[in-house]
Amino acid sequence: MSGWINYVSCGILGLGLLAKIPDLVRRRRDPFLLAISCVLSFAALCFLFSAPRTIGFINSVSGVPNLAAPLTYGAITAYSAASLVLIVQWRGGPNTARTARNWILGYAAVLVGIAAMFALGRAPVERRTDFDTYYATTPYIAELIVLYLVAHLVAVVVTAYRSLSWARQVKGHLRAGLLMMGMGTVLGAGYSAIKIVAVVARWRGHDWARLGTTVSPACAGLGAALTVAGTVIPVAGPYLANRARCWRAYARLGPLEGELTELLTREYLRAPRPFWPSATRWLTWRQTTIYNGLYYLERYVDRALYRDTYLGQLDAAGDAHRAEAVAWATAITAATRAAGDGEDGFMAVGVREPLPARPDLPALLSIADALPGCRGVTALRLDESAAPAGPV
């Protein structure tokens, strides 16, 4: 994997971690949030430390050839442990804390083992991309390599099994996230499995280093991306779905606001539009603007027209919600035309039957949907009422 991909991936994960900082400050003791943050942090470190330029920088600054290798393997091991703890905290259960603690202690021992094996071993020749296969037969360094690869393989296999088995029991964004995480960890297993194959081949006298320098990093990168995406989907999915619902509602209210546009402009009833294009703010703005127009039109609403339309729709279709929406749409269209013609309100001529309460957002959406089909009927009704009576 080229260095720029490593740095871009690290930057994206770093941005995700920065986005979590406000939540961490407010809920610093939340184990699930801490586990997600650790997954993001260690995944970013894995990409950072495995970049060839970073490897060269660490080795040259420290003066220790291949010091970047145990740091990278330590980051991979810590990421593996964080993924295990995340799925444990995510699932929950009576033994959650103990299980998470056991995994943490086990992988802490692996980290100690990696450090000890590197200190005992000897790796004088810097290898930025093929350290595993080059030193696969070196005492202590070989044990280090096997230790971190087996630890990683165990972690991803367990995480994949738990994620995919749990995904069969749930639905929605949680299911999507678990499936994504499961696929990511399956691909992540390819990283350690392929490297183990290359190391074993080296033991048997074959040079399969290209497996570890091409295929294995690709599996690691794609697997980490899918795993992190799987952890984010259940958190971000409901938020994005709510924003999408707000934008759809905002668009659906467009015809109703358009019906009131002339009135709103003439009477200066339109609320100031929010500068920032936030779905919730713009929906609230449009809803408030519509309410301003409806409040102004109250004295122009023909209660008899509303009642007759409602009863006619109810008799025709038997759907009370649809009948109410059509009746509101018809009455609003007629009231807008009456207000535009400068007529006195219908209340002034004695039509005082009470209207239902002001429509809420779902009712407004139904009214907006029914509005296009009511304009012709309303115009005909108003034309008939305005025609002069014939001779008696």
Side-chain angles (χ1 to χ4, degrees), residues 131-167:
F131 182 90
D132 307 80
T133 51
Y134 187 87
Y135 287 106
T137 57
T138 302
Y140 296 110
I141 303 298
E143 285 78 2
L144 180 159
I145 295 167
V146 172
L147 180 63
Y148 101 87
L149 288 176
V150 171
H152 178 266
L153 185 60
V154 169
V156 292
V157 168
V158 173
T159 304
Y161 172 76
R162 292 194 172 189
S163 300
L164 296 175
S165 61
W166 186 17

Side-chain angles (χ1 to χ4, degrees), residues 136-218:
T137 57
T138 302
Y140 296 110
I141 303 298
E143 285 78 2
L144 180 159
I145 295 167
V146 172
L147 180 63
Y148 101 87
L149 288 176
V150 171
H152 178 266
L153 185 60
V154 169
V156 292
V157 168
V158 173
T159 304
Y161 172 76
R162 292 194 172 189
S163 300
L164 296 175
S165 61
W166 186 17
R168 292 181 295 181
Q169 306 172 21
V170 295
K171 296 181 180 180
H173 293 103
L174 178 57
R175 178 183 176 88
L178 288 170
L179 289 174
M180 186 75 72
M181 189 173 183
M183 290 187 293
T185 49
V186 168
L187 278 172
Y191 168 82
S192 48
I194 291 171
K195 287 228 171 191
I196 288 173
V197 169
V199 168
V200 171
R202 181 74 173 84
W203 292 347
R204 299 177 66 86
H206 304 292
D207 185 8
W208 290 3
R210 288 185 62 84
L211 284 177
T213 58
T214 56
V215 181
S216 183

Side-chain angles (χ1 to χ4, degrees), residues 54 159 298:
T54 305
T159 304
E298 279 186 354

Side-chain angles (χ1 to χ4, degrees), residues 226-253:
L226 291 177
T227 300
V228 172
T231 64
V232 171
I233 286 175
V235 179
Y239 173 84
L240 296 176
N242 180 62
R243 292 304 181 272
R245 284 193 296 269
C246 289
W247 282 121
R248 286 196 298 269
Y250 173 82
R252 285 176 63 188
L253 289 177

Side-chain angles (χ1 to χ4, degrees), residues 288-360:
T288 302
T289 299
I290 290 172
Y291 279 146
N292 291 344
L294 295 182
Y295 179 78
Y296 180 87
L297 287 176
E298 279 186 354
R299 65 192 182 96
Y300 291 95
V301 173
D302 186 346
R303 270 68 168 171
L305 176 61
Y306 176 91
R307 180 197 60 209
D308 294 344
T309 306
Y310 175 79
L311 293 176
Q313 288 290 322
L314 189 61
D315 290 340
D319 187 342
H321 294 290
R322 171 65 180 173
E324 186 175 1
V326 173
W328 266 113
T330 305
I332 290 170
T333 304
T336 303
R337 180 170 174 178
D341 292 341
E343 300 176 10
D344 292 331
F346 285 103
M347 289 184 65
V349 296
V351 183
R352 298 180 181 274
E353 292 103 339
L355 278 172
R358 179 180 296 180
D360 56 9

